[in-house]
Amino acid sequence: MESVRAVLVDIDGVLTVSWRPLPGAVEALREVREAGFAVLLVTNTTSRTRASIAGTLAEEGFPVSAEDILTAPAATAAYLAEHCPGARCALLNSGDIAEDLDGVTVVEAGDTGRVPDVVLVGGAGPEFGYAALDRAFGHLQRGARLVAMHRNLYWRTAEGLRLDSGAFLAGLERAARVEAEITGKPARAFFESALARLGVGADEAVMVGDDVESDVLAAQWAGVTGVLVRTGKFQPETLRAADGTPDHVIDSFADLPALLRESAQQ
């Protein structure tokens, strides 16, 4: 930790819940920035664009702009450009993320032409009904690739935990006998992209998240120091059942500046 120069931060459940700041989060992010650390917000949120997220956070007092955010949709656009250039994609997602899918060709649900090259799965919502899932299943049976922005099973809202697309993704994979290509967290490439944007090595960064598997352990497997917060979707039983042990566990993001100071002094 003494060599840390950059901080990667999940948003939902770490800085905010239902886009409302968690106690001390705004002040802590300002303190981290003022201490000279590079900051990048890395999120699997698929319901909003980077610009929309930045605007909402700025209104709540967070010192961020769109350039400080890396979303799963933005990472997905880069992935498709490299691995499936020119692909026609059938998008199953809740929310308007067209701005962050720059260069991606999305076919309409009613398009009865040739089978899409890719079934692209984002975040869950009302759009994940039987007809949409069955249509995606049909595309996969006829040879489409399955690309998903994340595997999150649920997320935290002000009303409690809500089911996310990872639950539906598992069903599609099993039914169609295919394995999804993941572009957001916990994909190693996502963390490598974040580090490249900040110009730091894995040993110079920490990742702060509320998802022990997708945020923290995935970052650690990529060589980044992991910090788990006991907010958002955190549950003690999930931590106990995890495939590894976080490098650090703190009560909330508000405690991060103190952790960074203590580590620097050591």
Side-chain angles (χ1 to χ4, degrees):
M1 285 277 282
E2 67 274 5
S3 64
V4 168
R5 298 196 294 124
V7 179
L8 309 179
V9 189
D10 184 30
I11 299 174
D12 192 25
V14 178
L15 298 180
T16 67
V17 168
S18 294
W19 301 106
R20 300 293 298 177
L22 285 166
V26 172
E27 297 78 8
L29 188 60
R30 289 188 181 280
E31 188 172 347
V32 168
R33 280 198 179 282
E34 290 168 1
F37 293 96
V39 173
L40 186 65
L41 308 187
V42 290
T43 176
N44 277 347
T45 296
T46 54
S47 60
R48 298 188 179 203
T49 63
R50 294 189 307 150
S52 172
I53 293 170
T56 298
L57 293 178
E59 288 176 0
E60 297 292 347
F62 289 101
V64 298
S65 68
E67 294 304 311
D68 299 318
I69 301 172
L70 176 62
T71 64
T76 299
Y79 179 89
L80 292 172
E82 179 180 355
H83 297 277
C84 317
R88 297 170 66 254
C89 301
L91 176 64
L92 180 55
N93 180 70
S94 185
D96 183 8
I97 53 173
E99 184 180 318
D100 279 358
L101 289 176
D102 185 41
V104 176
T105 300
V106 177
V107 300
E108 297 296 328
D111 188 339
T112 57
R114 61 186 176 90
V115 175
D117 303 296
V118 173
V119 169
L120 182 57
V121 179
E127 295 81 357
F128 281 62
Y130 177 81
L133 289 165
D134 188 54
R135 184 165 52 248
F137 175 54
H139 294 328
L140 296 173
Q141 290 184 90
R142 289 185 284 276
R145 294 169 66 168
L146 179 58
V147 176
M149 298 182 195
H150 59 73
R151 285 192 179 278
N152 293 2
L153 295 172
Y154 49 83
W155 79 98
R156 171 75 65 181
T157 71
E159 289 74 39
L161 296 179
R162 301 293 298 274
L163 194 65
D164 209 343
S165 55
F168 301 101
L169 182 64
L172 285 174
E173 287 180 309
R174 184 168 180 181
R177 298 182 180 179
V178 299
E179 184 174 351
E181 303 164 49
I182 308 300
T183 55
K185 295 176 293 182
R188 185 185 186 97
F190 184 87
F191 292 101
E192 291 174 344
S193 176
L195 296 173
R197 286 187 55 168
L198 294 178
V200 299
D203 61 339
E204 298 176 302
V206 298
M207 170 68 206
V208 187
D210 64 329
D211 188 317
V212 64
E213 298 283 357
S214 292
D215 290 338
V216 180
L217 296 182
Q220 291 178 193
W221 293 328
V224 177
T225 298
V227 180
L228 178 67
V229 293
R230 296 189 183 94
T231 56
K233 66 170 66 172
F234 170 83
Q235 297 183 89
E237 58 270 27
T238 304
L239 176 57
R240 288 193 295 268
D243 290 332
T245 303
D247 293 318
H248 302 274
V249 181
I250 57 179
D251 285 336
S252 73
F253 187 76
D255 298 319
L256 183 68
L259 175 64
L260 293 173
R261 285 194 302 269
E262 291 168 6
S263 300
Q265 291 168 358
Q266 292 173 2

